[in-house]
């Protein structure tokens, strides 16, 4: 698959959500009917700002990775299309929120986190803090584990004291 076309080489097209249909095909892939009537099979949906402005700007690509355009806000799609977009993005941008840190073990440069999330207990590994942890403000943290799963600490200051100390020592 090609890398998405850069904005410098091709202007971004804003897609009218009221004239766009997004559906699952019979194989579970995404098909999009664009405002000009063109139907694109095996479309790919990507959030432009998945952390700071979820669902606000959704970029559509064809199966070859060519950008089709951007839907500015999915709330203007018809209800079925909006649900298909939400379900597709939820699969791609799975995010668990860390509610407490039970323990962290660091062996040979690999930190193993034992946490409680909004989806239950989880254990994950971080191999490189510099490439796995992002501060998204004074107290909000995004963590990407060795398997590509994403975890969020929405507000470090609101964790219990033990969780906060453990997290601060390892991020």
């Amino acid at each position: 698959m090609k890398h998405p076309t850069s904005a410098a080489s091709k202007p971004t097209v804003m897609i009218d959500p009221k004239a766009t249909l997004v559906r699952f095909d019979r194989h579970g892939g995404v098909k999009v009917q664009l405002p000009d009537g063109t139907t694109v099979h095996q479309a790919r949906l990507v959030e432009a700002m998945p952390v700071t402005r979820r669902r606000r700007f959704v970029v559509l690509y064809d199966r070859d990775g060519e950008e089709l355009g951007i839907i500015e806000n999915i709330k203007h799609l018809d209800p079925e299309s909006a649900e298909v977009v939400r379900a597709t993005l939820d699969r791609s941008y799975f995010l668990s929120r860390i509610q407490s840190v039970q323990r962290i073990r660091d062996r040979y440069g690999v930190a193993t986190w034992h946490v409680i999330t909004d989806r239950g207990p989880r254990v994950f590994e971080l191999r490189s803090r510099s490439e796995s942890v992002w501060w998204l403000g004074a107290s909000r943290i995004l963590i990407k584990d060795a398997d590509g799963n994403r975890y969020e600490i929405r507000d470090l200051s609101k964790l219990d004291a033990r969780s906060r100390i453990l997290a601060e020592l390892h991020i």
Side-chain angles (χ1 to χ4, degrees), residues 12-57:
T12 299
V13 174
M14 298 307 287
I15 297 173
D16 179 5
K18 293 178 182 172
T20 303
L21 294 175
V22 184
R23 300 290 190 261
F24 287 120
D25 65 21
R26 61 188 169 121
H27 303 291
V30 175
K31 69 178 178 181
V32 178
Q33 184 176 342
L34 297 168
D36 68 0
T38 304
T39 299
V40 178
H41 296 273
Q42 296 179 7
R44 195 167 57 96
L45 310 176
V46 177
E47 287 191 74
M49 294 179 258
V51 175
T52 58
R53 300 187 97 185
R54 290 193 47 93
R55 310 292 195 261
R56 183 59 198 264
F57 297 97

Side-chain angles (χ1 to χ4, degrees), residues 84-104:
V84 169
V85 170
R86 274 192 286 281
T88 302
L89 294 175
D90 284 347
R91 282 187 295 198
S92 299
Y93 294 98
F94 181 78
L95 178 75
S96 294
R97 290 194 173 85
I98 294 174
Q99 298 173 332
S100 71
V101 179
Q102 303 300 297
R103 71 178 187 270
I104 301 173

Side-chain angles (χ1 to χ4, degrees), residues 123-146:
V123 176
F124 61 88
E125 293 181 344
L126 297 184
R127 290 186 177 23
S128 168
R129 291 178 195 143
S130 64
E131 296 177 10
S132 303
V133 178
W134 295 270
W135 286 85
L136 305 172
S139 195
R140 186 174 174 206
I141 302 164
L142 180 67
I143 300 169
K144 188 173 182 182
D145 74 11

